[in-house]
Amino acid sequence: MRKGVVVTIEIPGGTQEQYEETTRLIQGAEWFPPQGFIAHASGPDGSGGWRITDFFDSEENFLAFVEKARPMFEQSGMPPVMPNFQPAVNVITG
């Protein structure tokens, strides 16, 4: 079994355009994929914002990723957000 953390980020008012620009910048970074990265999913949250769900092997590796990506978030206009961490008992990827 693969364990880790589920990271959920709610971005009120976040747009698909902001998300896609941020993703383009991050995927172009020399350090992508970040250490501990397992999987990522995102989409509209149903109330006019954007939701991101990431799976990392640890909270520490996710936070290290955020520090590297912070300038990219700012460049694309993403507002500062607080991630919500939950333990993942099992992560299955294809």
Side-chain angles (χ1 to χ4, degrees):
M1 267 199 277
R2 187 175 200 174
K3 296 182 181 187
V5 293
V6 178
V7 186
T8 306
I9 302 166
E10 302 289 337
I11 307 170
T15 67
Q16 183 171 349
E17 292 76 22
Q18 289 171 318
Y19 167 77
E20 288 175 351
E21 174 64 9
T22 304
T23 300
R24 184 186 67 75
L25 293 168
I26 290 171
Q27 288 179 330
E30 74 276 353
W31 47 260
F32 186 83
Q35 182 174 344
F37 173 78
I38 298 171
H40 169 89
S42 72
D45 68 5
S47 64
W50 204 256
R51 177 180 297 123
I52 296 171
T53 304
D54 283 334
F55 299 89
F56 269 74
D57 67 351
S58 70
E59 187 173 327
E60 294 76 22
N61 277 335
F62 176 81
L63 293 172
F65 154 70
V66 168
E67 285 307 309
K68 287 180 180 178
R70 187 176 313 282
M72 297 167 194
F73 298 146
E74 292 169 358
Q75 181 179 339
S76 63
M78 291 290 241
V81 294
M82 291 296 299
N84 181 331
F85 296 98
Q86 298 172 301
V89 175
N90 190 14
V91 180
I92 301 171
T93 57

